[in-house]
Amino acid sequence: MIYGTLGLDLKENGSQLIGTCPFCHKNKFYVDKERGVYDCKVCSSRGNEITILGEMFTKIWRPALTQQKMMEIAKYRGLPLAAVEIEEKLGFDVSEGKFVWLTEKPTGTPIGLRTLKLQSGKKNPIHNLKGCTLGPIGMPAIEKNKDEPIYLCEGEWDRMAISYMLFM
Protein backbone atom coordinates (compact mmCIF):
# COMPACT_ATOMS: atom_id res chain seq x y z
CA MET A 1 0.00 0.00 0.00
CA ILE A 2 1.19 3.47 -0.85
CA TYR A 3 -0.54 5.36 1.98
CA GLY A 4 2.56 5.35 4.20
CA THR A 5 4.82 6.54 1.39
CA LEU A 6 2.47 9.49 0.81
CA GLY A 7 3.48 10.88 4.19
CA LEU A 8 0.22 9.98 5.89
CA ASP A 9 0.59 9.26 9.60
CA LEU A 10 -1.45 6.09 10.05
CA LYS A 11 -1.65 3.74 13.03
CA GLU A 12 -2.67 0.10 12.89
CA ASN A 13 -5.98 -0.79 14.49
CA GLY A 14 -6.94 -4.37 13.70
CA SER A 15 -7.78 -4.73 10.02
CA GLN A 16 -7.57 -0.96 9.47
CA LEU A 17 -5.12 1.89 9.49
CA ILE A 18 -6.41 5.07 11.16
CA GLY A 19 -5.04 8.59 10.96
CA THR A 20 -5.48 12.20 9.98
CA CYS A 21 -7.26 12.90 6.70
CA PRO A 22 -4.97 14.78 4.28
CA PHE A 23 -7.96 16.78 3.01
CA CYS A 24 -9.96 17.90 6.08
CA HIS A 25 -7.19 17.30 8.66
CA LYS A 26 -9.55 15.49 11.05
CA ASN A 27 -8.53 12.26 12.76
CA LYS A 28 -11.21 10.14 11.06
CA PHE A 29 -9.31 8.74 8.04
CA TYR A 30 -9.59 4.96 7.71
CA VAL A 31 -7.77 2.57 5.37
CA ASP A 32 -8.91 -1.04 4.97
CA LYS A 33 -5.58 -2.93 4.90
CA GLU A 34 -6.97 -5.91 3.00
CA ARG A 35 -8.78 -4.01 0.24
CA GLY A 36 -6.53 -0.92 0.14
CA VAL A 37 -9.46 1.51 0.15
CA TYR A 38 -9.73 4.70 2.21
CA ASP A 39 -12.65 6.56 3.72
CA CYS A 40 -12.82 9.78 5.75
CA LYS A 41 -15.79 9.83 8.12
CA VAL A 42 -15.78 13.66 8.23
CA CYS A 43 -15.30 14.99 4.67
CA SER A 44 -16.53 11.80 2.91
CA SER A 45 -13.38 11.52 0.78
CA ARG A 46 -13.08 7.90 -0.30
CA GLY A 47 -11.31 5.82 -2.87
CA ASN A 48 -8.35 3.54 -3.39
CA GLU A 49 -4.59 3.73 -3.85
CA ILE A 50 -5.02 5.11 -7.35
CA THR A 51 -7.67 7.73 -6.65
CA ILE A 52 -5.83 9.15 -3.64
CA LEU A 53 -2.92 10.11 -5.91
CA GLY A 54 -5.20 12.18 -8.14
CA GLU A 55 -7.10 13.66 -5.22
CA MET A 56 -3.95 14.67 -3.33
CA PHE A 57 -2.45 16.13 -6.50
CA THR A 58 -5.56 18.15 -7.35
CA LYS A 59 -6.43 19.33 -3.83
CA ILE A 60 -3.02 19.66 -2.16
CA TRP A 61 0.09 19.48 -4.35
CA ARG A 62 -0.95 21.41 -7.47
CA PRO A 63 -2.34 24.39 -5.49
CA ALA A 64 0.87 24.44 -3.40
CA LEU A 65 3.02 25.04 -6.49
CA THR A 66 3.59 28.75 -5.97
CA GLN A 67 5.20 31.17 -8.40
CA GLN A 68 8.28 31.13 -6.15
CA LYS A 69 8.54 27.33 -6.39
CA MET A 70 8.10 27.47 -10.17
CA MET A 71 10.92 30.02 -10.40
CA GLU A 72 13.08 27.81 -8.16
CA ILE A 73 12.72 24.73 -10.35
CA ALA A 74 13.02 26.72 -13.58
CA LYS A 75 16.31 28.20 -12.36
CA TYR A 76 17.54 24.78 -11.19
CA ARG A 77 17.04 23.30 -14.68
CA GLY A 78 17.79 26.38 -16.76
CA LEU A 79 14.28 26.48 -18.21
CA PRO A 80 12.21 29.56 -18.97
CA LEU A 81 9.63 30.17 -16.24
CA ALA A 82 6.87 29.81 -18.85
CA ALA A 83 8.01 26.20 -19.51
CA VAL A 84 7.31 25.35 -15.87
CA GLU A 85 4.08 27.36 -15.75
CA ILE A 86 2.48 25.31 -18.55
CA GLU A 87 3.38 21.95 -16.95
CA GLU A 88 -0.02 20.77 -15.69
CA LYS A 89 1.18 17.66 -13.88
CA LEU A 90 3.71 19.38 -11.63
CA GLY A 91 2.91 20.15 -8.01
CA PHE A 92 4.67 20.70 -4.70
CA ASP A 93 4.41 18.66 -1.51
CA VAL A 94 4.91 21.26 1.23
CA SER A 95 5.07 18.69 4.04
CA GLU A 96 7.95 16.83 2.36
CA GLY A 97 9.53 19.81 0.57
CA LYS A 98 9.43 17.96 -2.76
CA PHE A 99 8.26 18.66 -6.27
CA VAL A 100 5.84 16.01 -7.54
CA TRP A 101 4.80 14.88 -11.04
CA LEU A 102 1.62 12.90 -11.48
CA THR A 103 1.87 10.07 -14.02
CA GLU A 104 -1.29 8.83 -15.70
CA LYS A 105 -2.69 6.28 -18.10
CA PRO A 106 -3.78 7.62 -21.51
CA THR A 107 -7.30 7.83 -20.05
CA GLY A 108 -6.11 10.27 -17.36
CA THR A 109 -6.27 7.76 -14.49
CA PRO A 110 -3.36 8.32 -12.07
CA ILE A 111 -0.85 5.48 -11.89
CA GLY A 112 2.15 6.95 -10.14
CA LEU A 113 4.07 9.80 -8.71
CA ARG A 114 7.60 11.02 -9.31
CA THR A 115 9.31 13.26 -6.77
CA LEU A 116 12.29 15.59 -6.60
CA LYS A 117 13.75 17.25 -3.53
CA LEU A 118 16.15 20.09 -4.32
CA GLN A 119 19.13 20.17 -2.00
CA SER A 120 21.90 22.67 -2.60
CA GLY A 121 25.31 21.20 -3.31
CA LYS A 122 23.91 17.71 -3.89
CA LYS A 123 22.83 15.68 -6.88
CA ASN A 124 19.03 15.80 -6.98
CA PRO A 125 17.68 12.62 -8.59
CA ILE A 126 14.01 12.14 -9.43
CA HIS A 127 12.41 9.19 -7.64
CA ASN A 128 9.33 7.12 -8.27
CA LEU A 129 7.11 6.89 -5.21
CA LYS A 130 7.48 3.46 -3.63
CA GLY A 131 4.45 1.33 -4.36
CA CYS A 132 3.49 3.27 -7.51
CA THR A 133 3.58 2.12 -11.09
CA LEU A 134 6.26 3.72 -13.24
CA GLY A 135 4.65 5.55 -16.11
CA PRO A 136 5.36 8.29 -18.58
CA ILE A 137 4.24 11.83 -17.90
CA GLY A 138 1.78 13.34 -20.37
CA MET A 139 0.06 10.15 -21.55
CA PRO A 140 -3.45 11.70 -21.69
CA ALA A 141 -2.16 14.11 -24.37
CA ILE A 142 -1.63 11.12 -26.68
CA GLU A 143 -5.23 9.99 -26.25
CA LYS A 144 -6.58 13.53 -26.66
CA ASN A 145 -4.50 14.43 -29.74
CA LYS A 146 -4.52 11.19 -31.74
CA ASP A 147 -4.00 12.90 -35.09
CA GLU A 148 -1.10 15.09 -33.92
CA PRO A 149 2.61 14.19 -33.96
CA ILE A 150 3.92 12.51 -30.82
CA TYR A 151 7.24 13.68 -29.37
CA LEU A 152 9.00 11.24 -27.10
CA CYS A 153 11.62 12.60 -24.76
CA GLU A 154 13.82 11.25 -22.02
CA GLY A 155 12.34 12.86 -18.94
CA GLU A 156 10.42 15.58 -17.18
CA TRP A 157 12.83 18.38 -18.09
CA ASP A 158 12.88 17.60 -21.80
CA ARG A 159 9.09 17.33 -21.77
CA MET A 160 8.78 20.80 -20.25
CA ALA A 161 11.21 22.29 -22.76
CA ILE A 162 9.53 20.63 -25.76
CA SER A 163 6.04 21.61 -24.58
CA TYR A 164 7.23 25.18 -24.17
CA MET A 165 8.75 25.27 -27.65
CA LEU A 166 5.69 23.72 -29.30
CA PHE A 167 2.94 25.64 -27.54
CA MET A 168 4.39 29.07 -26.83
Side-chain angles (χ1 to χ4, degrees):
M1 283 196 292
I2 67 165
Y3 298 100
T5 60
L6 289 173
L8 303 177
D9 184 26
L10 303 171
K11 308 285 185 233
E12 288 205 35
N13 185 4
S15 64
Q16 295 184 326
L17 300 171
I18 301 173
T20 303
C21 177
F23 311 112
C24 71
H25 309 289
K26 303 292 184 196
N27 198 23
K28 296 287 184 178
F29 187 79
Y30 295 84
V31 176
D32 182 309
K33 292 191 304 189
E34 187 176 310
R35 296 184 309 142
V37 296
Y38 68 93
D39 178 31
C40 177
K41 304 300 183 195
V42 176
C43 70
S44 300
S45 175
R46 61 179 45 102
N48 58 35
E49 293 178 286
I50 300 301
T51 58
I52 197 167
L53 289 175
E55 193 169 358
M56 288 185 75
F57 182 82
T58 303
K59 293 180 179 178
I60 300 171
W61 299 322
R62 181 63 182 174
L65 184 65
T66 62
Q67 189 75 13
Q68 179 182 348
K69 288 295 173 191
M70 285 190 259
M71 289 187 315
E72 183 180 332
I73 201 162
K75 182 179 178 185
Y76 168 71
R77 289 306 297 189
L79 292 168
L81 178 59
V84 177
E85 289 174 332
I86 63 172
E87 177 54 65
E88 297 175 349
K89 297 304 171 188
L90 178 64
F92 189 74
D93 181 347
V94 174
S95 65
E96 298 286 326
K98 295 179 180 179
F99 290 92
V100 297
W101 284 269
L102 186 66
T103 59
E104 301 170 311
K105 292 180 179 181
T107 59
T109 303
I111 58 171
L113 199 67
R114 295 174 55 81
T115 65
L116 169 72
K117 186 167 189 165
L118 294 181
Q119 300 175 35
S120 62
K122 294 186 176 184
K123 186 175 181 183
N124 298 297
I126 295 175
H127 298 282
N128 291 306
L129 187 66
K130 185 178 178 183
C132 287
T133 303
L134 177 61
I137 294 173
M139 286 298 290
I142 294 173
E143 185 69 23
K144 192 170 29 173
N145 304 307
K146 289 182 180 178
D147 297 328
E148 299 293 324
I150 297 173
Y151 299 91
L152 297 178
C153 50
E154 186 177 356
E156 292 80 2
W157 312 120
D158 292 341
R159 179 176 183 272
M160 283 188 216
I162 289 172
S163 293
Y164 172 74
M165 290 186 297
L166 290 172
F167 302 113
M168 295 309 272

